[in-house]
Amino acid sequence: MHSISSRSLGADRCLAIGGLLCWLGIVAAIAGTAFRIVKQYHEGGLYDAKHGGMADFHNGAYHSALAIRDGVSPYGNDFAKKYPVAKPNPAFSPSILALHIPIAMLPQRIADLLYFILSIVLLGWIAWLATIESIPDPIRSPNLRGFLFPFL
């Protein structure tokens, strides 16, 4: 018969608090990012540091994907004249921009929200995969369970 020692209860409590603090940190980071995006939302056009929220998505992916859909090269000056962007897009390959066409079919504000949510989900998934792959048996490891809890 297994006995529960006060040391293991204390360790479990410490791990639970660590897991809770980890969750609070993640929520605070996401909330802070969302607040900054809303407060400094970028409508389009020239980049302004005071209004940089979602500027990379707008200038780099959203309007470039719309241009590809419309048959306009996002790498030329016609693109910068027809779409509310600061300059032609030199950053992404056409295949990356083509992958963004489905989200670019949505109105810009809805696409922004969906892109933000997808980014958070994918970041969490990648963190979870990296954590699971780096630990032999994370579910049964009592020393790591509390810290991994937000990603399981």
Side-chain angles (χ1 to χ4, degrees):
M1 185 165 199
H2 296 288
S3 64
I4 300 175
S5 69
S6 62
R7 182 172 180 224
S8 68
L9 286 176
D12 286 345
R13 185 174 294 136
C14 186
L15 287 172
I17 291 170
L20 178 64
L21 290 175
C22 188
W23 264 115
L24 290 175
I26 291 168
V27 169
I30 292 170
T33 301
F35 176 76
R36 180 195 160 274
I37 288 171
V38 170
K39 186 175 183 203
Q40 299 177 349
Y41 185 75
H42 178 262
E43 293 290 342
L46 293 175
Y47 175 76
D48 174 13
K50 292 180 181 179
H51 299 97
M54 300 300 284
D56 288 344
F57 173 66
H58 296 161
N59 289 339
Y62 183 79
H63 293 294
S64 298
L66 285 177
I68 286 183
R69 182 198 68 183
D70 297 340
V72 176
S73 170
Y75 306 105
N77 288 328
D78 287 343
F79 169 67
K81 291 176 187 172
K82 291 182 180 180
Y83 295 89
V85 296
K87 58 185 177 182
N89 181 358
F92 300 111
S93 70
S95 59
I96 295 294
L97 297 177
L99 290 173
H100 285 82
I101 289 175
I103 200 168
M105 303 286 263
L106 300 169
Q108 185 172 317
R109 298 275 175 133
I110 294 171
D112 290 341
L113 180 63
L114 183 60
Y115 191 79
F116 182 73
I117 291 168
L118 283 173
S119 296
I120 292 167
V121 168
L122 288 174
L123 182 63
W125 184 46
I126 290 168
W128 178 76
L129 286 175
T131 304
I132 293 302
E133 290 298 321
S134 67
I135 299 168
D137 194 2
I139 303 302
R140 293 188 183 93
S141 176
N143 295 333
L144 296 170
R145 193 177 308 132
F147 291 106
L148 294 177
F149 179 70
F151 302 108
L152 298 177

